[in-house]
Amino acid sequence: MWITPEEVLLANALWVSERANPFFILQRRKGHGRGGGFTGLLVGTLDVVLDSSARVAPYRILHQTGDSQVFWNIACGSSRKEITEHWEWLEANLLQTLSIFDNEEDITTFVKGKIQGIIAEENKNKQTLEDEDSGKFREAELKMRKLFGMPDEEKLVNYYSCSYFKGRVPRQGWVYLSVNHLCFYSFLLGKEVTLVVQWTDVTQLEKDAAVLFPESIRVSTRDTEHYFSMFLNINETFKLMEQLANIAMRQLLDNESFSVDRSLPKPCKTLKNVSTLKRDLDARAKNERYRAMFRLTQDERLDGHTDCTLWTPFAKMHVVGQMFVSNNYICFASREEDLCQLIIPLREVSIVEKADSSSVLPSPLSISTKNKMTFLFANLRDRDFLVQRISDFLQRTPDRVWSDSKEVLSPSPTTPFLTPPSPSEAFSGRYYSPAVSDPPRRLLRSIPALTTDNWLIEHSSMKEESWNIHFFEFGRGVCMYRTSKTRELVLNGIPESLRGELWLLFSGAQNEMDTHPGYYSELVEQAMGRCTLATEEIERDLHRSMPEHRAFQNEMGIAALRRVLTAYAFRNPNIGYCQAMNIVTSVLLLYCTEEQAFWLLVALCERMLPDYYNTRVVGALVDQAVFEELTRECLPLLYERMQELGVISTISLSWFLTLFLSVMPFDSAVLLVDCFFYEGIKVIFQVSLAVLHANMEQLLSCSDEGEAMTILGRYLDNVVNKQTVSAPIPHLHALLTSGDEPPPEIDIFELIKASYEKFGSLRSDVIEQMRFKQRLKVIQSLEDTAKRSGLVLLFVFSDLWFLACLCSLPQAKHIMSCYWGASTTAAERHDPSLAYLEQYRIDRGQFSQLFTALAPWGCGAHTPTLAARLFRLLDQNKDGLINFKEFVTGLSGMYHGDMTEKLKLLYKLHLPPGRLGMVFFFLPEEKVKDYKYYLRMWAKEKEPKKETIKDLPKMNQEQFIELCKTLYNMFSEDPLEQELYHSIATVASLLLRIGEVGKKFSNNGARKPDSLCTLSPAVDSPLPVKEEPAGEGSSAEAQVTKALEEAQLEVTTTEEEAKDDTSVSSYSMVSAGSLQCEDIADDTVLIGCGDQRPGSVLDVDWAITFEQVLASMLTEPPLVDYFEKKLDIRAKMAACRFQRAVERQVSSSSEHEFSQLSG
């Protein structure tokens, strides 16, 4: 490749000159190519250790002029062929021109300009992303592709120098982290080590600090473990590995392929060894932490952050912390945790102004909001730049006007503030059933409090008054100061009158609802009346949602719950509806309006409990694994006992999915929901650990799982809220599990207090780190379980683990096409809602590659044709794609079927595609039916459909000839091919005579019509004969050819046009002029096209049945032995995996050939 001219002072150091002329020198790196000896090994080792480009580009061209001691490197190459092309171009295009110049400086200037012009021409069509990367990094990316055989679409993220422990010996080299792979390369004194690991195969990623491996990173897959150490910055490397592995897990979970963020701001200067992808991933990590810290929406992007102080009027002091600015918010977090946190939406900002600086208050910035709150920030490093960035974001915010003269932001006098619509505007009556009155009202307001205890009523009033005082001191609404005082009030319980408001505030749902006015109403209008699987599941669970609560014992509550769940299923079809969503949503509706409950559900499913409510409840399983790990750390003795009983995995799933609402009395569980919306998931972990700790003695002494479940169930049933003013709600779980002697009651406030005292040291960032660690294990475990459960149905393969490996091949084909394909259509082929065996689908080209590698019937040049026919047979729905279940169905017939099954498959492959009966039932594409119609169709699909050999249609003469050709090619590589040739020749002659006899009896002796179909040369030509010495082999093949030639029948002439249905050709024999060009398939035989051999005619009345083919085959023992022989796919699988590994290796065949020729 041409490179930007670089100055070289020592031209002959470690390089050997091979060609030269007055202006250019072609050189080869010492140790590359032929010879080299110890010097070559030493140079190669230095190139790898020092990250020299000479390892991947061992050839270069230098420009020299006369007596000058300075050389210019203008081109490099990875192979002799590449560098020779550049050399020949220079000789042909520049050598004569340069001889005209008199001044050496002019020659050098001309050469440098010419090379730079060529480079600019080559790069003008390249993407901006590549242009932003430094030359050093692009060089490393080319090196990665060369060393590991990666395509151009595979992007390098970063690379690091490290040691890889191969056995007990460390190998110093370089680890390359790309979007899809972890790669390592080392070359030390002739010993080369190459490693390629797909991120989708990683099951565990940990930092270890053992004696043998100090500060090492352990990368585990299903098969082995890899250790990397001696990093200059191990933390940076490990974080990047975590991100890439997480992206791969997301690919497995949601089929979300990685896409580069094109809107990243360009750096002020090009960083030497940092790629755009690395900056992208760093920005994503910061955005995720920022959004999690302040509970912001997924589209919020951090623009920057800076150290500052915030004046807190309630404490009369300046709090040190950081200000965060994004496209819609200004946020503040104190350096000391829980001291102060602040969120200011830009839509609420009315004035931003710079105050006068002083020694006491340097660089102050004042921000005022519409609700008359003013926030004073100080000690800002670059206040002017910060104000400019805020002004830019404010100008993009609706209903804002920036005044440059006063540097004050004020709302437009002609445009009203952005406020949510009133209930009458947002909820039109057309969206609701006429039977439901006042939809926006909270359901709990319709149920009066039945308590008469004056102390409880007074205590509830005191709580409300405490919150009112808090609002007065710290503010109310989205701009409220959040401090440790706020947490204390939440832990003491939120009053029922404020619960909905504060849930919206703490979860971030209030911001999302305010920025999407009318969105819920539109969703309800679009979703109501639709019949989907999600709506059917919702209808089934509506009356199971808190049936003990009076609010859901009437149509008003049920209708509200139906609308919220249906609207969310319509908004997020990837989740749709999952059990437990109904329980959580019903509680939300008790304290919120429908729109508020909807946005709280959005916050729960998409931010606070990620992946909890998808089809495989992955998020809940991950947190269950985190809970087990926390139990092992905090309660080691109990953990061992619980693992023996297998209790933790049983009980914890319901605790996390429903936030204890299904296992604890409602009045108590709702207090945990209060804490959850403020603290996040860590409070659920804390309470779960506290429940186990409180029952430790009983659990250690229990004898089985059932006893442990009963102990925990009865404990949770008796967790009570003695401060509630609501009517007592009977808990169904308590009614079913209560015994003769009820255990003592446990105060929910005491349980929460104990959880903070004993396990309050849990941190959210630690939980996120543990979640990542467990997510790798859980998703890979789910993949393995899905494979095993699906493969059990395919009992023809006895080794399920081996078949799981086979399953990974179509999956790998699909994933690689998602990443490396020219288009992204491969991602559209994946449907995670289907059974695992039906999720990943491959097209005809990918199937042909797998068929060639794995099929036992090798037919040489005829293999692609056979693969195309099998693909057409398996593609029942004619969408040009087949899934893994269909793929294995085809392979199982070839490997594990008996002789009848194998012959039946071969017979089907040579019949017309339209004549074969469907093995499975597929729905026609018609107008939308109701759900009952689909239920009937699905029930019909599950009915077994048996196919007998009598159901197969007859085979005509042309199809029979093609079958004989296939058999001929199949036997060509068999050790007993001579005996098989004799047998197939005998069977072919016998079947041809059977067809003749059958033709005579088909019309009771009457003459059949002589409509003739002329056989084209491609079909009628004799079978190919292998070039072998004359003898028994050639005579055997001649018998096959002779038997087929005897199939040419005499031409009869009659005008009768009646034609038997069995004579229809499988290859659509039609006139060349009767079809458009695009309608003619590759295997179509056209009449009147090409020359015809005299006498090559095909009698359409000739036909045989499958029973006749089977009976004829059974008369030849070599054929019976061939088709009854059991085959093993393991060798084919091993070869296929080896080929995948070889494709990534460095190909040096061209260099070796040159060495041989030169030697």
Side-chain angles (χ1 to χ4, degrees), residues 600-628:
L600 280 172
L601 185 62
V602 170
L604 278 174
C605 296
E606 300 176 11
R607 296 197 300 276
M608 301 189 72
L609 297 176
D611 301 323
Y612 258 59
Y613 300 107
N614 56 22
T615 54
R616 295 190 280 180
V617 292
V618 174
L621 294 175
V622 170
D623 282 351
Q624 174 182 293
V626 171
F627 179 57
E628 291 187 15

Side-chain angles (χ1 to χ4, degrees), residues 869-933:
R869 292 175 180 173
L870 181 58
F871 182 86
R872 183 173 56 190
L873 179 66
L874 297 176
D875 185 17
Q876 297 285 355
N877 57 356
K878 308 303 177 188
D879 62 348
L881 299 169
I882 64 169
N883 56 44
F884 176 68
K885 184 177 180 180
E886 295 166 337
F887 176 74
V888 171
T889 300
L891 283 185
S892 64
M894 291 184 282
Y895 273 98
H896 296 278
D898 55 16
M899 179 177 180
T900 303
E901 292 297 326
K902 293 178 181 179
L903 288 177
K904 186 192 295 185
L905 178 59
L906 274 174
Y907 188 87
K908 287 182 177 180
L909 292 180
H910 296 81
L911 291 178
R915 299 290 310 285
L916 296 177
M918 293 291 185
V919 179
F920 304 101
F921 181 83
F922 291 87
L923 298 178
E925 296 183 0
E926 298 179 357
K927 61 181 181 180
V928 178
K929 305 290 196 308
D930 62 3
Y931 72 95
K932 294 181 180 179
Y933 170 80

Side-chain angles (χ1 to χ4, degrees), residues 62 82 100 131 438 455 550 597 617 827 854 881 884 1121 1136:
L62 300 180
E82 179 185 2
I100 302 175
D131 294 336
D438 192 15
W455 181 87
R550 294 178 58 190
V617 292
L854 299 176
L881 299 169
F884 176 68
D1121 294 340
C1136 185

Side-chain angles (χ1 to χ4, degrees), residues 328-345:
N328 292 300
Y329 297 91
I330 300 173
C331 302
F332 174 85
S334 60
R335 183 174 301 173
E336 181 181 347
E337 189 177 5
D338 293 334
L339 184 59
C340 182
Q341 191 181 77
L342 181 65
I343 302 174
I344 307 174

Side-chain angles (χ1 to χ4, degrees), residues 346-377:
L346 293 183
R347 66 178 185 275
E348 297 290 335
V349 174
S350 58
I351 299 175
V352 176
E353 57 183 346
K354 293 185 293 186
D356 296 333
S357 297
S358 66
S359 58
V360 179
L361 200 64
S363 302
L365 178 67
S366 174
I367 299 178
S368 301
T369 62
K370 295 188 302 181
N371 58 358
K372 309 303 181 183
M373 293 185 68
T374 301
F375 305 95
L376 183 61
F377 298 91

Side-chain angles (χ1 to χ4, degrees), residues 365-653:
L365 178 67
S366 174
I367 299 178
S368 301
T369 62
K370 295 188 302 181
N371 58 358
K372 309 303 181 183
M373 293 185 68
T374 301
F375 305 95
L376 183 61
F377 298 91
N379 292 280
L380 296 166
R381 292 183 180 179
D382 195 346
R383 183 179 60 170
D384 294 336
F385 177 76
L386 177 63
V387 170
Q388 183 61 43
R389 292 302 297 165
I390 294 176
S391 69
D392 293 340
F393 289 124
L394 286 171
Q395 287 178 347
R396 304 170 195 168
T397 304
D399 308 323
R400 299 285 183 249
V401 175
W402 179 262
S403 175
D404 293 329
S405 59
K406 297 183 179 181
E407 296 185 82
V408 173
L409 177 73
S410 60
S412 170
T414 60
T415 307
F417 289 121
L418 181 61
T419 56
S422 64
S424 60
E425 296 172 346
F427 297 88
S428 174
R430 59 179 175 155
Y431 302 134
Y432 300 91
S433 170
V436 181
S437 59
D438 192 15
R441 183 177 60 185
R442 292 189 289 114
L443 298 180
L444 198 60
R445 292 181 182 176
S446 61
I447 303 174
L450 299 181
T451 182
T452 57
D453 193 326
N454 293 329
W455 181 87
L456 291 178
I457 298 176
E458 182 179 352
H459 188 74
S460 177
S461 300
M462 290 177 61
K463 278 188 178 182
E464 293 186 16
E465 185 61 26
S466 298
W467 276 99
N468 289 330
I469 295 174
H470 183 275
F471 292 148
F472 179 78
E473 294 182 0
F474 299 89
R476 187 168 187 171
V478 291
C479 298
M480 178 179 70
Y481 291 97
R482 307 177 192 195
T483 66
S484 56
K485 179 65 175 177
T486 311
R487 176 201 269 184
E488 292 178 8
L489 291 176
V490 171
L491 296 184
N492 290 328
I494 299 176
E496 292 186 350
S497 59
L498 300 174
R499 185 161 278 150
E501 175 188 345
L502 294 177
W503 282 359
L504 287 166
L505 177 63
F506 297 145
S507 66
Q510 184 69 54
N511 288 320
E512 203 162 6
M513 184 176 69
D514 290 347
T515 54
H516 295 82
Y519 177 79
Y520 172 71
S521 303
E522 294 176 0
L523 277 184
V524 171
E525 182 181 25
Q526 296 172 13
M528 296 305 288
R530 292 177 177 265
C531 291
T532 62
L533 284 176
T535 58
E536 292 309 311
E537 293 175 354
I538 291 171
E539 289 297 326
R540 185 182 62 219
D541 289 346
L542 281 177
H543 294 278
R544 305 176 188 174
S545 307
M546 297 186 67
E548 68 276 12
H549 200 288
R550 294 178 58 190
F552 297 97
Q553 295 173 356
N554 55 70
E555 181 57 29
M556 183 178 74
I558 296 297
L561 181 61
R562 177 188 293 113
R563 286 189 290 270
V564 174
L565 292 176
T566 304
Y568 185 79
F570 186 77
R571 164 191 166 89
N572 192 343
N574 290 332
I575 293 179
Y577 171 77
C578 176
Q579 286 187 345
M581 288 175 64
N582 59 319
I583 297 175
V584 175
T585 307
S586 59
V587 174
L588 300 179
L589 281 169
L590 293 176
Y591 301 100
C592 308
T593 65
E594 285 186 28
E595 184 179 24
Q596 293 171 344
F598 169 80
W599 287 113
L600 280 172
L601 185 62
V602 170
L604 278 174
C605 296
E606 300 176 11
R607 296 197 300 276
M608 301 189 72
L609 297 176
D611 301 323
Y612 258 59
Y613 300 107
N614 56 22
T615 54
R616 295 190 280 180
V617 292
V618 174
L621 294 175
V622 170
D623 282 351
Q624 174 182 293
V626 171
F627 179 57
E628 291 187 15
E629 186 175 354
L630 290 173
T631 305
R632 184 181 60 200
E633 295 177 0
C634 303
L635 306 170
L637 295 178
L638 182 59
Y639 171 78
E640 295 180 0
R641 182 57 181 162
M642 298 290 278
Q643 284 296 103
E644 294 175 0
L645 300 176
V647 175
I648 295 182
S649 60
T650 305
I651 59 175
S652 57
L653 195 59

Side-chain angles (χ1 to χ4, degrees), residues 877-1123:
N877 57 356
K878 308 303 177 188
D879 62 348
L881 299 169
I882 64 169
N883 56 44
F884 176 68
K885 184 177 180 180
E886 295 166 337
F887 176 74
V888 171
T889 300
L891 283 185
S892 64
M894 291 184 282
Y895 273 98
H896 296 278
D898 55 16
M899 179 177 180
T900 303
E901 292 297 326
K902 293 178 181 179
L903 288 177
K904 186 192 295 185
L905 178 59
L906 274 174
Y907 188 87
K908 287 182 177 180
L909 292 180
H910 296 81
L911 291 178
R915 299 290 310 285
L916 296 177
M918 293 291 185
V919 179
F920 304 101
F921 181 83
F922 291 87
L923 298 178
E925 296 183 0
E926 298 179 357
K927 61 181 181 180
V928 178
K929 305 290 196 308
D930 62 3
Y931 72 95
K932 294 181 180 179
Y933 170 80
Y934 289 108
L935 291 177
R936 290 194 301 270
M937 294 299 100
W938 290 327
K940 186 175 181 181
E941 181 182 358
K942 294 182 179 297
E943 295 179 359
K945 295 175 175 58
K946 297 182 179 179
E947 180 185 52
T948 65
I949 59 177
K950 295 183 179 296
D951 297 329
L952 294 174
K954 294 181 180 180
M955 177 178 284
N956 65 21
Q957 194 177 87
E958 179 191 350
Q959 297 155 8
F960 173 69
I961 293 174
E962 290 297 318
L963 175 60
C964 290
K965 285 185 177 182
T966 300
L967 291 172
Y968 174 86
N969 287 279
M970 285 172 54
F971 301 151
S972 62
E973 298 179 359
D974 195 273
L976 302 177
E977 60 176 320
Q978 305 306 327
E979 291 84 349
L980 292 170
Y981 284 150
H982 283 293
S983 299
I984 194 60
T986 304
V987 170
S989 299
L990 177 60
L991 287 173
L992 288 170
R993 290 194 293 270
I994 291 175
E996 277 295 303
V997 174
K999 182 184 70 170
K1000 295 178 180 180
F1001 286 94
S1002 60
N1003 281 333
N1004 295 325
R1007 284 181 65 88
K1008 285 291 294 177
D1010 352 277
S1011 56
L1012 302 177
C1013 292
T1014 305
L1015 192 64
S1016 74
V1019 176
D1020 191 55
S1021 59
L1023 291 177
V1025 179
K1026 299 175 66 174
E1027 296 181 2
E1028 295 181 359
E1032 185 180 357
S1034 60
S1035 63
E1037 296 164 4
Q1039 292 181 26
V1040 181
T1041 305
K1042 181 179 179 181
L1044 294 177
E1045 288 177 348
E1046 292 175 356
Q1048 309 308 326
L1049 306 179
E1050 295 182 0
V1051 180
T1052 57
T1053 56
T1054 179
E1055 296 180 359
E1056 191 175 356
E1057 291 295 329
K1059 185 182 284 187
D1060 193 343
D1061 185 57
T1062 60
S1063 65
V1064 178
S1065 171
S1066 66
Y1067 301 103
S1068 306
M1069 297 194 302
V1070 293
S1071 171
S1074 63
L1075 288 177
Q1076 299 296 327
C1077 293
E1078 58 267 23
D1079 297 329
I1080 301 176
D1082 295 337
D1083 49 10
T1084 302
V1085 179
L1086 300 178
I1087 297 176
C1089 297
D1091 299 331
Q1092 300 178 11
R1093 190 178 60 186
S1096 289
V1097 295
L1098 195 66
D1099 193 340
V1100 295
D1101 297 327
W1102 187 97
I1104 56 173
T1105 63
F1106 176 73
E1107 295 99 315
Q1108 294 168 343
V1109 174
L1110 179 60
S1112 301
M1113 292 282 190
L1114 290 174
T1115 61
E1116 293 295 325
L1119 293 177
V1120 175
D1121 294 340
Y1122 178 86
F1123 285 106

